[in-house]
Amino acid sequence: KNEVEQSPQNLTAQEGEFITINCSYSVGISALHWLQQHPGGGIVSLFMLSSGKKKHGRLIATINIQEKHSSLHITASHPRDSAVYICAVSGDQGAQKLVFGQGTRLTINP
Amino acid sequence: DGGITQSPKYLFRKEGQNVTLSCEQNLNHDAMYWYRQDPGQGLRLIYYSQIVNDFQKGDIAEGYSVSREKKESFPLTVTSAQKNPTAFYLCASSNGRGREAFFGQGTRLTVV
């Protein structure tokens, strides 16, 4: 079993829909990261959080430390949100190494 | 603007040749990382460095080598010993545990 599991692996939705991507992890963490990867390959950091909730524009990220679970929500989704969304955790021991989920491929159709 | 620069974006290599991927950052970050991404898989850690002149193997270090002679630079050499080198390679940096990680745009290596 992977230390970081994302669901779903693929998600297709219509423009305007509310999107939720889930991430569960099995290790102690110092922080959880949500990343976005566009077809060109480059990765952009969306959020880094260790508790509670963060919001940036139409994106919301939440984390429940007790349940070892995080969600990324996109409100009023748009075709430009189409990308791979990756959850990663940095451990609470030793070096700052990220462990990545497999990613969720999101496609928003107009 | 501060950031991480990887070059080149695309790289083709003949089987049996070594090739070096460049990663430079001007964020003054102590830690730098190299990850490999294969289709349908999460990123996997190849090597990381927490300070100049020091680096550690990650989960899939075989067939790779690195150096960290300057804080800004962390080049990755893919040697001929790497059995399946065709992949997408990402460099990242951060300033410590629990701090935000920054990523380069990646290098897609194809062995022909």
Side-chain angles (χ1 to χ4, degrees), chain A residues 30-31 33 35 37 39-43 45 48 86 90-98 100-102, chain B residues 9 33 35 37 40-43 45 48 50 88 90 94 96-101 103-106 108:
Chain A
S30 58
H33 307 254
L35 312 167
Q37 185 174 32
I43 288 181
S45 176
M48 187 189 72
I86 301 170
S90 44
D92 60 358
Q93 303 291 331
Q96 157 84 342
K97 293 186 291 179
L98 291 174
F100 295 83
Q102 290 184 311
Chain B
K9 189 169 182 180
Y33 310 84
Y35 295 94
Q37 187 178 41
Q41 295 193 37
L43 286 95
L45 181 65
Y48 65 101
Q50 294 179 269
F88 186 68
L90 272 162
S94 75
R97 192 187 316 152
R99 299 288 185 93
E100 186 175 5
F103 292 84
Q105 291 298 302
R108 191 167 299 278

Side-chain angles (χ1 to χ4, degrees), chain A residues 35-45 86 98 100, chain B residues 2-9 21-27 29 31-35 37 43 72 74 88-94 100-108:
Chain A
L35 312 167
Q36 182 189 57
Q37 185 174 32
H38 277 282
I43 288 181
V44 173
S45 176
I86 301 170
L98 291 174
F100 295 83
Chain B
I4 299 181
T5 302
Q6 285 188 245
S7 61
K9 189 169 182 180
L21 282 58
S22 168
C23 178
E24 304 276 331
Q25 54 100 358
N26 60 3
L27 300 163
H29 285 171
M32 297 186 74
Y33 310 84
W34 274 105
Y35 295 94
Q37 187 178 41
L43 286 95
E72 305 80 29
F74 191 41
F88 186 68
Y89 293 88
L90 272 162
C91 178
S93 72
S94 75
E100 186 175 5
F102 291 78
F103 292 84
Q105 291 298 302
T107 294
R108 191 167 299 278

Side-chain angles (χ1 to χ4, degrees), chain A residues 2-4 23 25 27 33 86-91 97-101, chain B residues 35 43 59:
Chain A
N2 292 332
E3 291 177 321
V4 180
C23 176
Y25 55 92
V27 295
H33 307 254
I86 301 170
C87 172
V89 300
S90 44
K97 293 186 291 179
L98 291 174
V99 178
F100 295 83
Chain B
Y35 295 94
L43 286 95
D59 301 319

Side-chain angles (χ1 to χ4, degrees), chain A residues 31-94:
Chain A
L32 183 142
H33 307 254
W34 280 104
L35 312 167
Q36 182 189 57
Q37 185 174 32
H38 277 282
I43 288 181
V44 173
S45 176
L46 298 174
F47 295 103
M48 187 189 72
L49 63 165
S50 53
S51 65
K53 175 180 173 178
K54 287 190 176 180
K55 185 176 189 291
H56 185 250
R58 296 179 294 106
L59 273 59
I60 303 165
T62 64
I63 187 169
N64 184 320
I65 297 295
Q66 287 73 30
E67 294 186 4
K68 295 188 174 180
H69 180 269
S70 176
S71 294
L72 176 69
H73 306 285
I74 305 175
T75 62
S77 59
H78 190 276
R80 66 174 174 266
D81 297 325
S82 299
V84 175
Y85 292 84
I86 301 170
C87 172
V89 300
S90 44
D92 60 358
Q93 303 291 331

